[in-house]
Amino acid sequence: MQRRRLGRNGPDVSAIGLGCMGMSWAYGPADETESIATIHAAMAAGIDLLDTGDFYGIGHNEELIGRAIRGRRDEVFIAVKFGALRDPSGGLIGFDARPASVRNFLSYTLRRLGTDHVDLYQPARVDPAVPIEDTVGTIADLIRAGYVRHLGLSEAGAGTIRRAHAVHPVAQLQIEYSLMTRGIEAAILPTCRELGIGVTAYGVLSRGLLSGRLAAGTTLGADDFRTRAPRFQGENLARNLELVEALRRIAVEKGATPAQLAIAWVLSRGEDIVPLVGARRRDRLEEALGALDLVLDADDLVRIEAAVPAGAVAGTRYDAHGMRMLDSEGRPGG
């Protein structure tokens, strides 16, 4: 397994991380036995970065990981997002990054994971009601107390990143980044590189659009959040699938799948970027790992970006409510 560093002076992790959200939430039912087998397969392949959130399945995801790593805690680097609030039906009802809440969330996380520390802790979103300095200062206290090893941020804008980093060094920013989502290239990625902050990229397959397995007319389950995502609706989906077909033609020439080409593209963006793959099954994990063997030269990159040009995707990455939650997008309408 290739290795990359999260930040200029941050931790060394596998070049690809395993995003575990789908094992508990967002894409419909998942098989727990297969999920644990997938985590074990990832570890066997050399993946040590496991990414989760305390609100994924309302704690289920952390409990799942806790079972999977029991007796093997020292083999993995666990990154946890916190702060999303849910109602009894499972709906998202806001975010809370107040200092007391940060400490409370971590207490439950440690119990569910069965560990005495998490390797990286980060607010899932920037809470507009709480100064980022207060949230980060609390995590810094938890780092000094030994409950957390490294500080992270998620979906933060350039200004917020600077303010947070001034309080305590930020090891990494987690943010959506793919051929279809390239907004970070304007200001956020340059800011991270200036400050020596690594990036873990989620949504590298744009929620499955770039997998090459979706077709026009695909019916998603009622509990699949993509049913509400603009990129998967009507004419937007048709347009986006045209982009995928253009990518597929290049992938076939390279002896790869569209998913592998999309992951390899993210890997090519810099040694400071670690893509998270959301595999829920071992066969999908194996496919994703194949991206590590793809070598993309300058001509390949030109052709890939011509097939899926920056800004060509139709539809925003979340619905209007979700977009208002994103500090990284300037909180339009919020």
Side-chain angles (χ1 to χ4, degrees):
M1 173 58 62
Q2 302 165 23
R3 310 288 296 177
R4 292 190 170 185
R5 185 170 298 281
L6 291 181
R8 188 174 296 141
N9 301 305
D12 179 71
V13 299
S14 51
I16 284 179
L18 181 64
C20 300
M21 178 183 75
M23 297 176 181
S24 302
W25 175 58
Y27 299 112
D31 180 88
E32 285 199 13
T33 300
E34 180 61 23
S35 294
I36 290 175
T38 300
I39 293 172
H40 288 164
M43 294 169 67
I47 291 177
D48 57 5
L49 172 56
L50 303 180
D51 183 83
T52 184
D54 61 11
F55 54 99
Y56 294 167
I58 315 180
H60 173 269
N61 205 237
E62 291 179 324
E63 293 172 348
L64 180 77
I65 291 173
R67 293 197 297 274
I69 66 169
R70 188 169 295 132
R72 305 178 64 182
R73 173 65 181 92
D74 60 349
E75 298 178 36
V76 292
F77 182 97
I78 303 175
V80 177
K81 290 179 291 300
F82 69 87
L85 304 176
R86 291 192 180 279
D87 64 20
S89 71
L92 286 168
I93 56 175
F95 295 90
D96 185 356
R98 293 173 298 171
S101 299
V102 175
R103 296 177 186 277
N104 178 69
F105 291 142
L106 181 61
S107 299
Y108 284 89
T109 283
L110 295 176
R111 178 64 63 89
R112 286 189 290 254
L113 287 170
T115 184
D116 62 357
H117 73 280
V118 295
D119 297 292
L120 187 140
Y121 205 47
Q122 56 198 348
R125 296 288 185 268
V126 176
D127 185 344
V130 179
I132 191 64
E133 291 84 355
D134 292 356
T135 303
V136 168
T138 302
I139 299 174
D141 289 342
L142 293 167
I143 289 173
R144 286 187 284 270
Y147 297 116
V148 174
R149 296 290 186 264
H150 302 279
L151 165 69
L153 296 173
S154 179
E155 289 291 352
T160 301
I161 293 168
R162 290 185 184 279
R163 289 168 53 199
H165 195 69
V167 175
H168 187 279
V170 177
Q172 65 100 54
L173 170 73
Q174 183 175 129
I175 195 164
E176 188 168 351
Y177 187 38
S178 73
L179 275 165
M180 287 184 166
T181 303
R182 298 180 60 176
I184 74 169
E185 293 174 349
I188 293 174
L189 185 55
T191 297
C192 287
R193 286 177 168 162
E194 175 192 337
L195 300 176
I197 298 170
V199 170
T200 54
Y202 75 88
V204 294
L205 298 183
S206 196
R207 311 297 191 180
L209 273 174
L210 290 166
S211 70
R213 288 186 287 271
L214 287 175
T218 296
T219 300
L220 301 171
D223 53 356
D224 189 319
F225 96 101
R226 292 175 295 181
T227 60
R228 301 179 298 279
R231 291 181 179 180
F232 291 83
Q233 297 174 1
E235 293 182 3
N236 286 350
L237 178 60
R239 169 56 183 151
N240 294 334
L241 290 178
E242 290 176 3
L243 299 175
V244 176
E245 287 309 306
L247 186 68
R248 189 193 304 277
R249 290 190 285 272
I250 301 172
V252 169
E253 293 178 21
K254 299 287 292 183
T257 66
Q260 290 171 332
L261 202 61
I263 296 168
W265 181 87
V266 176
L267 284 164
S268 77
R269 306 309 289 173
E271 291 292 320
D272 53 350
I273 298 175
V274 175
L276 300 172
V277 297
R280 303 196 294 173
R281 298 178 356 213
R282 284 168 286 182
D283 59 336
R284 296 288 189 252
L285 173 67
E286 184 177 1
E287 178 185 13
L289 289 170
L292 291 167
D293 298 323
L294 274 180
V295 178
L296 303 180
D297 61 26
D299 289 340
D300 291 329
L301 294 173
V302 169
R303 295 182 63 208
I304 290 168
E305 294 189 31
V308 188
V313 65
T316 54
R317 51 194 179 113
Y318 293 99
D319 62 15
H321 175 73
M323 293 300 290
R324 284 194 295 269
M325 299 295 105
L326 299 175
D327 184 72
S328 57
E329 298 281 352
R331 297 186 185 279

